Amino acid sequence: MVAALEALARLTVSAAPLEAVLDAFADHLGRLVGFDGLSLALLDAAGTGAALLDPPGRPGLGVGRQAPVAVAGTLLGRTVEDGQPRRVDDGAGALGA
């Protein structure tokens, strides 16, 4: 686990292209936690918008890479707003949880 975290830390501060970092992230995450699909939300600097994307070569939500969308009123927006981690086992009704 520590090796995976160290490798990710090195990649995030490297000059590697974003796609390489995301691919490595998905690879290392897969070694730590089992998952069927993975999509990521990349927040903008202000924390008000996020671009959704599927890491290259991984099963995801099929979003590819989308232009940034507003996060206000979403689960991600609430997490950014209050800084509290959330665990969502079932996305249904996540905003009201």
Side-chain angles (χ1 to χ4, degrees):
M1 180 161 93
V2 172
L5 295 173
E6 287 175 349
L8 289 173
R10 279 192 302 275
L11 270 172
T12 57
V13 297
S14 74
L18 178 62
E19 287 74 23
V21 173
L22 296 176
D23 190 41
F25 174 80
D27 221 24
H28 289 300
L29 182 64
R31 294 178 193 162
L32 298 172
V33 179
F35 59 86
D36 295 325
L38 174 68
S39 293
L40 303 170
L42 298 177
L43 283 171
D44 62 20
T48 58
L52 298 177
L53 60 103
D54 295 329
R58 307 279 178 216
L61 297 176
V63 297
R65 184 169 190 155
Q66 293 183 345
V69 295
V71 297
T74 67
L75 182 62
L76 178 58
R78 281 184 49 200
T79 303
V80 169
E81 185 180 293
D82 64 21
Q84 297 299 310
R86 291 193 166 64
R87 178 180 169 157
V88 179
D89 293 318
D90 181 2
L95 271 176

